[in-house]
Amino acid sequence: MAEASEAIRHDFPRLLEPLRVNQVTLRNRIVKPAQVLGFAAEDGNASAMQLAHYEALAQGGVGLLIVESSCVDYPIGGKGENRLRIDDDAFMPSFSRLAAAIHAHACPTFLQLSHNGPAAKFASMPPLAASALSAGELPVSDPRVAYDPPRAMTLADIERSVEKHAAAAWRAKQCGFDGVEVHAGHSYLVNSFLSRAWNRRDDDYGAQSFENRARFAADIVRAIRARVGSDFAIGMRVNGEEWGHELGITSEESVAFATILERAGLDIIHVTGWGYGYGAYSWVQYPEQLLYPEPSVPLARLVRKPGVIASRAAAIKQAVKIPVIAVGSLGPALGERVLRHGMADAIAMGRRLMADPALPRKLLEGRPEDIRPCMACLECRTAFGRYRPAACRVNAALGREQEYAIRPVAAKKRVVVVGGGPAGMEAARVAAARGHAVVLYEKSHRLGGSMPLAALIKSTTIEDLPALIAYFETQLRKLGVRIMLRRELTAPMARALNPDVIIVAAGGQDVSPRIPGIERTNVLSGATLGRLAAPYLRLFGPRVLGGMTRFWLPVGKRVVVVGGLLQGCQSAAFLVKRGRQVTVVEESAQLGEGIPTAMKPRLLDWLAEKGVTMLTRAQCREITAQGVVVRTSDGGVQTLPADSVITALPLAPNPALAEALAGGPFAVHSAGDCVQGRTILHAIHDGARVGNSI
């Protein structure tokens, strides 16, 4: 282990190196940035769920933990479901408990202070901003994200806000935090002064000079310093650039602001970014989205090396002496590269630490193969966008750290898992980690279930499903799980094994819609495509096979896809990229349902741009040699020309094996698609639930 650890230190010497910020020493240069996940109590206090979440992160070895944005001036500073507040002394006891829980694992922590400004939304009053803007003047982050026309801050408002930030910082210090980070980025209050897209003032806080535009932010820094003293760290999150607006902050302007803020007494600067126009706010926060469904703008070339935001952090790094934090889809390898090239001093990893809070510790211990990979799928934003606590596709314990903590079992059991898809692999992993003796049966030649086929259809440009399969294979091997490939376990075989527990995760059943002509040779189902692709996937893998299918694919030029939910829309994208003319037919109105909400509009709009016809509330009446006869939403009947027809529908439950095993001398549990055809997230969460329950 010592040799492995030294090897990893050699691979990540800068990432694992300590960093000094004011009087605070970070044990490494990995930073968990502030991310609102909906775990706070409804009244704005830190909840038990939140304490468990942040304690898991601290225990995982992160260098600096920045607790999510906390409102400094309620309600005008922003309100929302399950958001933290630090605008009153009444919140200090819960924040004190939170800071203590983090410090118990020798982890420094900052509290992010926020005022949403023009991004806030109220029913009875306008939000605040540097200037009053009409609806037509508002810099639109996205047509689907509507701002309300804000009220211009008066000098009294500015003075009040400066005081509110200083008071919140004082509370944070009294609660035991090591520093604060003022959120002056995105489209929030402080940024509305920095950005000419928002700032139309003509006073000392106006857009006439860099000093005027940065005056509000600098006033906040100086007021906090006067309140908390010299030994308390002050950070600020700023936009390194604003894309998509002619008056947006440029990289050169952000450098000028950084130097002013450094002179005001700032200790560390955290560089983010923002965008205006269709979908821009999404890809700026999640730069890999520039690659989905395909690279579309010149900035996409920066996503992999060195990172879109990191390139802007580098410009600031050259101009200031204080540490600079870079962010934006940066993992260990790319983060190390950014540090080695002197582009930043620390690396913020948000979603990667949601996927695996122990990432830093695993790097330090020389176990990079044990890091659970983030899929960049944005499933974490889907639940939160619907006002529910965030959930992670690959980490079922996110927000449920206490419930899903791996605890040794009192009595070791013999466990048989049927099925090597995501539900079966996670159930086997968790059960084995808790101390059970586990054997897993998989009827195919490899683990992964339908994930290799999904990787082929969706590509591995963003969601690296092969990496997730490799992670599971490594964990099962290390945990001593016996894996029996090419062995389809039947009920008689299972009874003969006589285990203590059987977990059925054998997958769902393919759905064959009752349409006259469905048996025609030009019709392919998802199961048929899976069988056709299986030997090639085994031989070449999804990455290589994905490239090969651009030259040859056993479908005609005109394709009708029956089913327009997640499966149908992703199949349509796969076909479009291979030169097919595609029509999607969906019976419901839920086009694209199941695709993460942050990605769905982008995919649907891209399909429309590529000429894909998408019919909703349409029924397939018959499949003929000419195509598919459909009844459209207006009651009309038409034939959609098609050389090939592909059915892409959610799987149906497959309870047969579990029912056949019921009543035996062993406990039977079911997980994954055999219970209900859903997504990889649901399958993994099902597996974790069952693995923890036995």
Side-chain angles (χ1 to χ4, degrees), residues 366-557:
R367 300 187 290 120
E369 73 279 4
D370 291 339
I371 295 172
R372 187 186 294 110
C374 171
M375 293 290 99
C377 59
L378 295 185
E379 290 276 19
C380 49
R381 306 311 299 170
T382 296
F384 180 68
R386 295 173 178 173
Y387 301 103
R388 299 196 302 268
C392 175
R393 171 187 285 180
V394 298
N395 179 18
L398 178 69
R400 307 173 74 172
E401 283 81 4
Q402 284 294 328
E403 181 183 354
Y404 280 2
I406 300 295
R407 296 184 176 89
V409 295
K412 183 175 183 177
K413 296 178 181 178
R414 292 174 296 115
V415 179
V416 169
V417 178
V418 185
M425 291 189 294
E426 177 70 350
R429 184 192 72 83
V430 173
R434 296 180 61 225
H436 295 305
V438 182
V439 57
L440 185 153
Y441 286 81
E442 167 54 46
K443 64 182 179 182
S444 72
H445 291 72
R446 42 83 184 125
L447 293 177
S450 61
M451 286 200 292
L453 181 61
L456 171 64
I457 293 173
K458 297 167 69 175
S459 89
T460 58
T461 303
I462 298 179
E463 299 181 38
D464 193 353
L465 290 174
L468 181 58
I469 297 170
Y471 162 79
F472 275 119
E473 289 173 336
T474 298
Q475 300 315 300
L476 298 182
R477 174 177 53 81
K478 284 190 170 188
L479 290 166
V481 175
R482 290 176 57 208
I483 299 174
M484 313 295 287
L485 297 177
R486 291 173 288 182
R487 296 284 298 276
E488 182 172 6
L489 195 69
T490 63
M493 291 168 60
R495 292 191 193 94
L497 291 171
N498 194 31
D500 299 305
V501 178
I502 297 179
I503 300 173
V504 180
Q509 299 183 81
D510 196 45
V511 174
S512 180
R514 296 180 178 178
I515 305 171
I518 193 70
E519 73 287 346
R520 296 183 64 88
T521 57
N522 65 331
V523 180
L524 296 170
S525 68
T528 302
L529 285 171
R531 286 193 295 271
L532 290 173
Y536 300 101
L537 281 169
R538 188 165 65 249
L539 187 61
F540 299 109
R543 291 188 179 92
V544 174
L545 186 58
M548 294 170 63
T549 56
R550 293 180 182 271
F551 302 98
W552 181 84
L553 196 66
V555 296
K557 290 294 292 182

Side-chain angles (χ1 to χ4, degrees), residues 601-629:
R602 188 175 178 89
L603 176 58
L604 295 181
D605 292 341
W606 180 86
L607 289 172
E609 289 170 8
K610 294 296 183 179
V612 175
T613 300
M614 293 174 280
L615 302 177
T616 57
R617 301 187 186 278
Q619 292 183 331
C620 296
R621 306 299 296 271
E622 185 180 4
I623 300 173
T624 68
Q626 288 71 43
V628 181
V629 180

Side-chain angles (χ1 to χ4, degrees), residues 58 86 97 294 300 650 666:
I86 191 63
R97 291 192 293 272
E294 62 182 357
F666 34 69

Side-chain angles (χ1 to χ4, degrees), residues 246 283 442 661 665:
E246 60 182 4
W283 69 252
E442 167 54 46
L661 293 170

